[in-house]
Amino acid sequence: MRSRVVDALRRFDRRPAERPDLKRASVAIAIIEPGSFLLTRRAPTLRGHAGQWALPGGRNEPGESPGEAARRELAEELGLVLGADAELGMLDDYPTRSGYVITPVVLWAGTDGELQPNPAEVSELHRVPLELIDIEPRFLTIPESDAPVIQLPLFGRFVHAPTGAVLYQFREVVLHGRPTRVAHLEQPVFAWR
């Protein structure tokens, strides 16, 4: 599985977003054996985006690379400590309505062992089999934007952008080898703050 992910990411021509007006953040797509990834629900007490589906991640510290930030956030949120050798590659940057450029970093977590979600940040932790995101998303139109809103069906609900967009791009690039872009996909209005 690891070599398949590495090969797909090497073939992918990643697009960074040059947006100095936005803060930098990173998220971890942490792949665990035999073929799952880690997904959380944000704690309901968090100031921003409480209760939303999220990949582990957050704001980059000064001087921190996207990979360093993603690994630090993974350790802080889930107690999973990974070295730099776990970094397999990155997907396209995703500028958000709430003032960030998110860099998705794909990490190899191997066997995840005992995870310890931080209750101040994480209300739920899911080990999601990759086949669950290998489905077609819904694209909606909203009066507030000309861009389509992406909704990725999961667990009988929908995961919206940015997480839904990042997972959709991972599906396209890694599972199908298609260089699909997602930065143009819109977030629902509730996530604009």
Side-chain angles (χ1 to χ4, degrees), residues 133-169:
I133 62 167
D134 195 11
I135 58 175
E136 292 302 316
R138 288 193 332 185
F139 296 100
L140 306 176
T141 58
I142 58 172
E144 295 85 356
S145 176
D146 292 334
V149 172
I150 185 170
Q151 293 184 325
L152 190 66
L154 190 63
F155 304 131
R157 300 177 182 178
F158 292 101
V159 179
H160 299 90
T163 302
V166 168
L167 292 176
Y168 175 60
Q169 186 173 53

Side-chain angles (χ1 to χ4, degrees), residues 14-34:
R14 177 186 181 282
R15 289 189 184 165
E18 299 303 325
R19 293 288 307 270
D21 57 315
L22 301 178
K23 298 177 280 281
R24 306 299 297 191
S26 299
V27 295
I29 303 173
I31 307 299
I32 55 176
E33 294 183 293

Side-chain angles (χ1 to χ4, degrees), residues 30-170:
I31 307 299
I32 55 176
E33 294 183 293
S36 301
F37 68 95
L38 300 174
L39 184 69
T40 70
R41 291 285 302 264
R42 292 173 55 87
T45 55
L46 288 173
R47 191 181 70 213
H49 308 292
Q52 291 183 16
W53 293 106
L55 293 162
R59 184 188 280 198
N60 294 17
E61 298 291 338
E64 205 172 37
S65 72
E68 290 167 336
R71 289 186 290 112
R72 176 183 50 76
E73 290 285 345
L74 192 60
E76 289 175 7
E77 291 182 26
L78 301 179
L80 179 57
V81 178
L82 300 175
D85 60 335
E87 296 177 29
L88 305 183
M90 297 184 290
L91 296 173
D92 288 347
D93 286 348
Y94 184 91
T96 72
R97 292 279 193 160
S98 58
Y100 289 89
V101 171
I102 297 174
T103 301
V105 180
V106 182
L107 300 167
W108 183 256
T111 55
D112 62 345
E114 283 298 314
L115 298 176
Q116 306 214 341
N118 178 346
E121 297 190 49
V122 176
S123 67
E124 297 175 24
L125 169 61
H126 299 270
R127 290 165 178 86
V128 183
L130 292 173
E131 59 264 18
L132 289 186
I133 62 167
D134 195 11
I135 58 175
E136 292 302 316
R138 288 193 332 185
F139 296 100
L140 306 176
T141 58
I142 58 172
E144 295 85 356
S145 176
D146 292 334
V149 172
I150 185 170
Q151 293 184 325
L152 190 66
L154 190 63
F155 304 131
R157 300 177 182 178
F158 292 101
V159 179
H160 299 90
T163 302
V166 168
L167 292 176
Y168 175 60
Q169 186 173 53
F170 179 86

